[in-house]
Amino acid sequence: MIFKLALRNIVGNGWRSLISMVVIAIIFIGMIWMEAMYHSWIALAKTQQKEWEFASGMLRVDEYDPYDAFTWEDSHAPIGPELQSAVELGKAVPMLLSPAVIYPHQRQLSTLVKGIPHDQHVLEFPTQKLAGRVEGYIPCVIGAMMAKTTRLEEGDVFTLRVKDSHGAFNTLDLKLVEIMRIPVPNLDINTIWMDLDALRELKQLPGSATTVVFQDAELATLDVEGFRQITEKEYFSYLDEIMETENFSKYMIYGLIMFLAMIAIFDTQALALFKRRKEIGTFSALGMTKRRIIWLFTVEGALYCVFGIILGALLGLPLFSYFAVRGYVMPEGYEDFGIAGFTYAIKFEYPPGIILSVVFWLLLITLVVSWFAARRISGLKVTEVLKGK
């Protein structure tokens, strides 16, 4: 009976009920959109970094700290016969890095040069262009952001200077064969890529590497002297820290829009209590307890939320489908932040957990607000409400 009465009251409120449902629908759409955007961005960033740098696992030289440039010069070690056999089978990719100086267009710029095998097939990195020589020069590739910084263009020849393992400076002329759009900024910003063997020869470090990535996760657990395993948790820790920071601002926005939505529901319920005083008094006179009357208005609030969510699902379906198929392109300039996932369109994913979480919190808060508004009934006297007071 309470459910039928609540449903009848919602229909009887007409436009006021519809407005409350529309507000809830907008909140539902906004929360799902924001949750899907953050989830999809992190998923895309992790996918891109796995495809371009991490693969299924990574070993890194003990001395190497990606956030401490003073460690880079000595961040190398022999990979040993066990890792070398995995490299020869095409299941591992060694990479060597070194601080360097380049001289593009009569300028001097400090940079980082990385060597990678030109014949590797584990990473998405298109290294085939690094093979051999081009017009007598060692070929190299850079990313779009690096090209913007150095003002280099495809076909340019410039000098690279590095310090070898004996402390002497060696130079080499490189020819830029391609400017790529690299989705992982730390592989692009201030970085030049060349063939691993050419860099080893220049550094006089045969068989050495800074990192080794693997096609098979089990190989990353090998105990190799001078190297340590980098887990996914450690590798993606910076993304988790970013999400922790973003969660604060996200929940602030959620709180604001939920507050506005709940005000609309509270006002609707409070106005209904004022206009339906005689109806409430009649229910009390006929024997309905105050607890059941409060429960009646609480159920009404829950129905507002349910119908609002259904309306939001219907109205938001085209929007959700669009971003799932076409994706969301971050505004221009975001890729300069140096964070993965901003280069290409983010195609939204909608895990059931996100949807259920949003539905749960909407229902919970709506029930609390509706119950709080209906508490005023507990102070009403039957004789007064029947007189319209």
Side-chain angles (χ1 to χ4, degrees):
M1 182 183 70
I2 289 179
F3 180 82
K4 291 182 179 179
L5 284 173
L7 188 59
R8 186 200 67 182
N9 293 334
I10 289 175
V11 175
N13 283 335
W15 286 103
R16 292 190 299 273
S17 297
L18 182 60
I19 291 173
S20 296
M21 294 176 193
V22 169
V23 171
I24 294 175
I26 294 173
I27 300 303
F28 175 76
I29 292 172
M31 292 181 69
I32 291 293
W33 190 90
M34 289 186 65
E35 287 286 356
M37 183 189 69
Y38 281 112
H39 169 82
S40 303
W41 161 49
I42 292 297
L44 176 62
K46 290 184 176 181
T47 298
Q48 289 175 342
Q49 291 196 253
K50 284 185 176 182
E51 291 176 347
W52 283 74
E53 185 179 29
F54 186 78
S56 297
M58 174 185 287
L59 293 180
R60 182 182 288 170
V61 170
D62 293 332
E63 293 80 7
Y64 177 59
D65 183 352
Y67 304 107
D68 184 1
F70 292 103
T71 66
W72 297 350
E73 190 68 59
D74 299 320
S75 296
H76 52 78
I79 61 176
E82 191 171 8
L83 288 182
Q84 184 60 40
S85 62
V87 172
E88 293 173 355
L89 293 173
K91 296 181 179 181
V93 179
M95 287 181 280
L96 178 66
L97 63 83
S98 172
V101 176
I102 60 173
Y103 300 89
H105 307 303
Q106 292 77 48
R107 293 180 298 133
Q108 176 178 312
L109 296 174
S110 297
T111 186
L112 188 66
V113 60
K114 294 184 178 181
I116 186 172
H118 67 269
D119 56 350
Q120 65 84 27
H121 299 285
V122 175
L123 300 173
E124 291 290 329
F125 206 107
T127 54
Q128 294 75 23
K129 293 183 178 291
L130 300 177
R133 288 179 175 264
V134 178
E135 299 176 1
Y137 297 103
I138 298 294
C140 70
V141 297
I142 61 175
M145 287 185 282
M146 180 62 173
K148 183 179 179 181
T149 302
T150 59
R151 297 199 292 272
L152 287 170
E153 299 179 354
E154 292 184 6
D156 285 352
V157 176
F158 59 93
T159 301
L160 171 76
R161 187 191 73 183
V162 299
K163 183 186 292 186
D164 66 19
S165 59
H166 303 293
F169 287 99
N170 290 334
T171 61
L172 182 69
D173 288 335
L174 300 178
K175 185 179 182 67
L176 181 59
V177 295
E178 184 177 1
I179 297 174
M180 303 182 298
R181 192 180 184 193
I182 303 176
V184 183
N186 65 290
L187 304 183
D188 182 347
I189 299 174
N190 203 39
T191 302
I192 295 173
W193 291 88
M194 61 185 294
D195 183 56
L196 175 63
D197 290 336
L199 182 58
R200 281 174 169 174
E201 183 179 353
L202 188 65
K203 294 278 293 180
Q204 297 187 23
L205 292 172
S208 294
T210 303
T211 60
V212 184
V213 297
F214 300 92
Q215 188 178 43
D216 188 350
E218 293 184 359
L219 291 174
T221 62
L222 292 173
D223 186 12
V224 181
E225 184 179 358
F227 290 83
R228 67 184 183 90
Q229 182 184 5
I230 304 298
T231 63
E232 285 194 26
K233 183 178 180 180
E234 179 181 355
Y235 181 76
F236 293 117
S237 60
Y238 83 100
L239 285 176
D240 297 331
E241 292 174 359
I242 291 174
M243 276 305 301
E244 289 180 3
T245 304
E246 290 294 329
N247 282 337
F248 178 76
S249 59
K250 179 179 68 174
Y251 292 141
M252 288 288 290
I253 295 174
Y254 284 177
L256 177 61
I257 59 179
M258 288 289 287
F259 176 73
L260 295 176
M262 294 311 109
I263 284 180
I265 295 174
F266 182 85
D267 287 346
T268 301
Q269 293 292 76
L271 182 61
L273 288 171
F274 178 78
K275 294 186 64 176
R276 292 159 55 189
R277 287 174 297 172
K278 288 188 176 181
E279 177 187 348
I280 295 170
T282 302
F283 286 151
S284 298
L286 292 175
M288 182 178 286
T289 63
K290 292 178 181 179
R291 178 177 296 180
R292 290 179 64 83
I293 296 174
I294 293 175
W295 179 239
L296 169 64
F297 282 90
T298 306
V299 170
E300 282 187 28
L303 288 176
Y304 278 125
C305 185
V306 171
F307 291 144
I309 290 173
I310 294 173
L311 180 62
L314 294 175
L315 295 177
L317 185 59
L319 180 71
F320 298 152
S321 301
Y322 174 84
F323 284 105
V325 176
R326 299 293 298 274
Y328 175 69
V329 180
M330 299 298 291
E332 186 177 354
Y334 268 69
E335 60 184 20
D336 295 336
F337 289 171
I339 302 174
F342 288 162
T343 305
Y344 297 114
I346 303 173
K347 294 186 177 181
F348 284 17
E349 300 174 356
Y350 306 94
I354 287 178
I355 299 174
L356 292 176
S357 176
V358 172
V359 170
F360 170 77
W361 284 110
L362 278 175
L363 278 172
L364 178 63
I365 296 176
T366 303
L367 284 171
V368 171
V369 170
S370 299
W371 174 82
F372 186 78
R375 282 187 61 208
R376 296 181 57 186
I377 300 172
S378 61
L380 296 177
K381 295 181 180 180
V382 176
T383 55
E384 293 180 354
V385 295
L386 287 175
K387 293 177 182 179
K389 295 183 180 180

